[in-house]
Amino acid sequence: MAPVRVAVLGHTAETGGAEIALMRLLEALDPRWQVTVILFSPGELESQLRQRGIAVRVLPLAQRTASRGRAQLKDPRTLLLSGRDSWGFVGRLAQLLRAEQAELVVANTLKAAVLGSLAARRARCPWVWHLHDRISADYLPAAAVPALRLLARTAHGVVANSHATARLVRLPAERVAVAYPGLPEESFAAAHQAPPTPVFGMLGRISSTKGQREFLQAAFTVAAADPSAAFHIVGQALFNDHEYAKQLEDLTSQLDLAGRVRFAGWSARPEADLDRFSALVHASPVPEPFGQVIAEAMARGVPVIATAAGGAAEILTEAPDPVPAPSPGEVLRTPLGQLVAPGDPRGLASAMRWVIDNPGDAESAAQRASASARRRFGAASAAAVCGEVWSQALAAASPRRRRGDAG
Ligand code: GLC
């Protein structure tokens, strides 16, 4: 098939989950797709993409617009009007799309969708929204929700990272494809060996939306019951979360956990960190859109404790429909792992204690989870779903574009 030039847009060059998912996707794509990634700010992701042989362009957006967290994304219109240069940016982006001869635009983040959809329209390109975020008031400012749902209607294709994310777009099911973020082959590993004394770990960005605070509160209970238990927080604060990271260190001393909790910082080898855990704890107090680290732990046969909402619940129940969250303090055990209510340190503590008391059962669930991850989270299937949506978007847009060209 003829090669197609695709511009994938991302507003940030910090490597959060959506950016990691993107790199894995691009590596697994059919070579027919000739991708250039256009980032709206310079940074780490730029070199990471280049190292993988992926073409990158940086088109800087004013810092104050680029660095606004999703909490400031009150309304897509505000984004355009508040960043006084946003309109100018849309024009420059449209120009770049033309210069790149892009035939398809794929927006990988919310801000990229807001600005990229306008630029795509100017450049007469169809656009696809690859959604990694929940379009929902539990995740975004309420005012942004209806506007973003309207925006989704203008896309020529929508891919969501979970059924939970897909449902929130409020489009007919056939207009939203689900592609679970895929894991590369090396993520799947041989049997996990439980460490000799309990180690519970969180791995990923430090942020109030990820729940390191609830993890520490639960650690306090577990540490009192088991003097050998240790707790690792691996990862660093990105975006606007440095203040939260500082609060976590203060809380650790207040709870007298200094000798038991290890802040490991950014890790170059997250797989090795996962292998050291008795269980991975994924403590998001707000529903997680997907939760790649859960899939990564499963792929390595590491027991998982997660909060019963969004993608995390879907991953551990293997069911697209939402599960009722357990009551506070309660644990829902699925064949693949344990789920507790979001924002519930008591539930997290009892799930950790269950792992300590039932190591054999925890490891069996983890083995089942590893087989499930192999079936569901391969990079090739994610790439196939995306390729299909991209092809359909091109096909749907081409008669319109031909008419446009003729006129
Ligand atoms: C975003 C979401 C996260 C998901 C990732 C990949 O970072 O917050 O839940 O795992 O994208 O889709």
Side-chain angles (χ1 to χ4, degrees):
M1 275 201 263
V4 179
R5 296 182 64 89
V6 182
V8 176
L9 313 181
H11 77 278
T12 174
E14 293 192 72
T15 38
E19 291 71 32
I20 293 171
L22 173 64
M23 289 192 277
R24 291 172 172 168
L25 172 69
L26 297 183
E27 285 189 313
L29 272 183
D30 186 299
R32 161 185 191 219
W33 305 107
Q34 297 189 350
V35 172
T36 299
V37 176
I38 300 177
L39 300 174
F40 302 173
S41 56
E44 172 64 23
L45 182 61
E46 220 182 309
S47 53
Q48 292 211 23
L49 286 163
R50 290 210 173 98
Q51 274 161 25
R52 290 170 167 79
I54 297 161
V56 192
R57 303 290 303 263
V58 177
L59 186 71
L61 183 61
Q63 193 49 40
R64 64 204 165 103
T65 317
S67 65
R68 275 164 209 271
R70 65 174 187 248
Q72 281 84 47
L73 188 70
K74 286 262 176 329
D75 180 327
R77 280 164 304 180
T78 335
L79 173 66
L80 287 172
L81 302 174
S82 66
R84 222 176 299 134
D85 79 333
S86 293
W87 283 113
F89 177 81
V90 167
R92 291 196 299 279
L93 182 55
Q95 239 170 25
L96 179 57
L97 293 173
R98 284 192 213 100
E100 288 284 327
Q101 298 179 319
E103 295 163 78
L104 178 71
V105 167
V106 176
N108 199 53
T109 64
L110 293 181
K111 282 180 220 169
V114 173
L115 299 168
S117 58
L118 295 167
R121 174 188 270 246
R122 283 211 207 167
R124 296 244 198 92
C125 255
W127 77 285
V128 167
W129 194 348
H130 197 128
L131 254 178
H132 295 278
D133 297 284
R134 289 168 63 82
I135 304 190
S136 152
D138 60 26
Y139 193 81
L140 297 169
V145 171
L148 291 171
R149 285 188 182 139
L150 275 177
L151 182 64
R153 291 178 179 273
T154 72
H156 298 85
V158 181
V159 178
N161 62 358
S162 67
H163 291 275
T165 299
R167 266 195 302 280
L168 293 166
V169 186
R170 302 277 165 80
L171 281 175
E174 66 278 7
R175 287 190 56 192
V176 187
V178 173
Y180 288 136
L183 299 178
E185 191 47 39
E186 59 273 19
S187 304
F188 297 91
H192 169 248
Q193 297 275 325
T197 53
V199 179
F200 294 97
M202 286 191 67
L203 175 63
R205 183 155 72 81
I206 291 187
S207 156
S208 59
T209 62
K210 301 293 180 189
Q212 283 88 358
R213 182 197 309 278
E214 290 78 357
F215 175 64
L216 287 177
Q217 288 161 339
F220 178 73
T221 311
V222 179
D226 187 325
S228 69
F231 307 88
H232 292 187
I233 295 183
V234 184
Q236 63 179 348
L238 295 183
F239 311 122
N240 306 319
D241 294 316
H242 299 282
E243 177 57 32
Y244 179 73
K246 169 82 180 62
Q247 290 167 7
L248 293 178
E249 291 183 16
D250 295 346
L251 180 63
T252 304
S253 345
Q254 280 157 25
L255 296 176
D256 213 9
L257 286 174
R260 312 288 291 273
V261 173
R262 184 166 158 241
F263 285 92
W266 180 82
S267 170
R269 296 198 52 226
E271 324 77 41
D273 295 293
L274 283 173
D275 290 347
R276 274 195 288 273
F277 297 164
S278 313
L280 168 84
V281 178
H282 193 273
S284 297
V286 291
E288 184 70 31
F290 177 72
Q292 280 174 116
V293 68
I294 301 174
E296 286 162 17
M298 285 167 65
R300 302 192 80 78
V302 179
V304 172
I305 297 168
T307 49
E314 188 176 320
I315 293 175
L316 286 184
T317 57
E318 291 192 303
D321 300 319
V323 282
S327 317
E330 301 282 304
V331 178
L332 171 68
R333 283 189 194 96
T334 80
L336 308 184
Q338 302 188 80
L339 289 167
V340 305
D344 176 24
R346 275 201 301 138
L348 289 174
S350 55
M352 287 193 249
R353 292 189 64 182
W354 185 83
V355 172
I356 297 176
D357 295 340
N358 303 276
D361 291 343
E363 291 295 327
S364 311
Q367 284 313 307
R368 286 190 292 272
S370 148
S372 166
R374 232 191 211 289
R375 277 197 312 278
R376 298 192 290 155
F377 308 134
S381 49
V385 173
C386 293
E388 185 59 34
V389 174
W390 296 6
S391 301
Q392 284 169 7
L394 282 172
S398 57
R400 217 179 313 159
R401 283 202 297 160
R402 271 202 298 276
R403 271 203 309 277
D405 290 344

